[in-house]
Amino acid sequence: MISNNEMIRIRRQMQRRIRDVVAERRRTREQDPTPRTPAPASTPSGADQEVCVTDNGPG
């Protein structure tokens, strides 16, 4: 079974990876010279969606 400390470590590692990917996508979009047409507000693209990580408590 995974200890509480290990679960916290894994969760923080996942959050760090998500932040890194989001930042990399943002940098790529900012450097892309081609103009982008905005997606309709009702259906945001995958790169524009906000990433939420929920804490489900211990274990």
Side-chain angles (χ1 to χ4, degrees):
M1 188 166 155
I2 297 177
S3 69
N4 193 36
N5 287 339
E6 192 172 1
M7 183 64 75
I8 291 170
R9 183 186 61 78
I10 292 169
R11 185 176 295 125
R12 287 181 180 161
Q13 185 179 26
M14 290 170 56
Q15 289 172 342
R16 201 172 321 131
R17 288 180 181 174
I18 290 169
R19 264 197 319 268
D20 290 347
V21 168
V22 170
E24 180 65 29
R25 288 182 181 177
R26 184 178 296 124
R27 282 193 297 270
T28 302
R29 279 199 314 269
E30 289 172 355
Q31 292 174 357
D32 192 357
T34 58
R36 300 230 182 242
T37 56
S42 60
T43 58
S45 69
D48 294 332
Q49 291 180 358
E50 182 177 339
V51 177
C52 297
V53 178
T54 59
D55 184 3
N56 293 329

